[in-house]
Amino acid sequence: MSGGETALRGRATLTARIARIHDHCADTRSLFLTLIDGRHLRFLPGQFISISIPLGDETRTRAYSIATSPEDRGPFEICFNMVAGGRGVGWLFERKVGDTLEFTGPFGAFSMERAPAVEIGLIAEGTAIAPIRPIIRRAIETGRAPIHLIYGADRDEHITYRAELDEWAKRALNFSHEIVIAPAIRLHERLGDVADERWIAADSDRSRQFWICGVGPGVIKLRDLLRGAGYERRAVHYEQW
Ligand SMILES: Cc1cc2nc3c(=O)[nH]c(=O)nc-3n(C[C@H](O)[C@H](O)[C@H](O)COP(=O)(O)OP(=O)(O)OC[C@H]3O[C@@H](n4cnc5c(N)ncnc54)[C@H](O)[C@@H]3O)c2cc1C
């Protein structure tokens, strides 16, 4: 560990201050966090922190993926959306610049240290692009094989970091992406159809590796679609929120 960095993986409680807030749209927000001890948080692309949320009648712990890359200097970012009846995330929306919050981590095996030598497929929906974003960057920086992202949401404004994704697609010859807009109730099915067409029906190559992130049981269906088509279990990484 280099000086000035903190690698306190595990249960040690860390305190971060909110340095900046960015609203992507009315119900999607990013907080930019700095450790109050002035050190830099060490993590792998794709990992999350567990934030302690004091609600009066209960203290709940909720996971939030780190949306920035480990090599970025300055604050690290979490990105989240309103959830119907979601009191935990409601508390996060009430935080102001200068407030502090406590967390443990980083945690998570849904990560990428170096790009595999094989083609990479990524599937994300809405704010579940948060862990995928630093994974794409790491993949672009450390690999040469094609990287393709299928990114879905129920409406256009819920496609976060779009300009950046477009920019990466222009600059990195091996990165491409496509956007899928569909009603929430049909989104996972549509993502599955697009994934099927591209990675199952199109050829018999089953050497690809996948990273899938999203909300609810649809994520498991996407995982099983790929595994059921002949991709190895360990080649299909997934994170269900
Ligand atoms: C490893 C991991 C990483 C996560 N990273 C993020 C992140 O980067 N950004 C983020 O917004 N959330 C993230 N989540 C979800 C987050 O931890 C909370 O579950 C969410 O904010 C709702 O918490 P709550 O206490 O407000 O509501 P709860 O009452 O606990 O949750 C209500 C319901 O909302 C569903 N839900 C969870 N997340 C979402 C969502 N984003 N959109 C719609 N429904 C959802 C849950 O499945 C649950 O059924 C992550 C979850 C996990 C397990």
Side-chain angles (χ1 to χ4, degrees), residues 31-240:
L31 299 183
F32 293 82
L33 305 170
T34 50
L35 294 181
I36 58 161
D37 64 11
R39 292 193 291 172
H40 186 72
L41 187 71
R42 269 182 75 178
F43 58 95
L44 288 174
Q47 287 192 309
F48 64 90
I49 57 170
S50 283
I51 299 182
S52 173
I53 300 183
L55 292 177
D57 55 338
E58 62 165 303
T59 297
R60 57 176 70 173
T61 305
R62 288 293 179 267
Y64 293 92
S65 305
I66 304 170
T68 32
S69 289
E71 52 273 28
D72 290 336
R73 288 288 140 182
F76 63 96
E77 177 183 355
I78 57 169
C79 171
F80 46 86
N81 59 282
M82 297 273 199
V83 170
R87 292 176 64 211
V89 77
W91 181 89
L92 272 186
F93 268 97
E94 287 163 10
R95 299 306 99 202
K96 305 266 181 273
V97 170
D99 286 353
T100 56
L101 46 82
E102 297 199 328
F103 70 94
T104 53
F107 301 116
F110 183 78
S111 60
M112 180 192 285
E113 201 153 3
R114 288 192 65 77
V118 298
E119 190 177 328
I120 296 170
L122 306 134
I123 308 177
E125 61 168 307
T127 54
I129 192 72
I132 298 284
R133 182 188 186 210
I135 286 176
I136 295 172
R137 254 184 75 184
R138 182 58 61 89
I140 291 173
E141 278 158 20
T142 60
R144 285 166 180 251
I147 306 160
H148 187 77
L149 166 70
I150 301 174
Y151 184 17
D154 59 344
R155 49 184 201 268
D156 226 47
E157 63 175 3
H158 288 159
I159 297 292
T160 311
Y161 309 113
R162 187 173 204 151
E164 182 182 79
L165 293 169
D166 290 345
E167 186 60 31
W168 289 349
K170 253 193 258 162
R171 285 216 208 149
L173 292 177
N174 58 340
F175 175 67
S176 58
H177 64 303
E178 65 195 294
I179 304 294
V180 175
I181 303 292
I185 196 156
R186 279 203 290 280
L187 183 59
H188 288 134
E189 196 186 318
R190 284 281 300 121
L191 290 172
D193 290 346
V194 177
D196 190 330
E197 208 175 301
R198 171 173 279 271
W199 293 314
I200 298 173
D203 58 34
S204 57
D205 179 2
R206 295 295 181 263
S207 69
R208 299 177 179 96
Q209 288 203 21
F210 297 94
W211 277 260
I212 306 167
C213 189
V215 178
V219 174
I220 304 301
K221 283 198 183 150
L222 289 167
R223 177 201 71 182
D224 291 345
L225 173 76
L226 294 164
R227 287 181 176 173
Y231 289 101
E232 273 187 49
R233 279 182 70 78
R234 64 188 172 150
V236 186
H237 313 261
Y238 69 99
E239 185 170 82
Q240 181 192 0

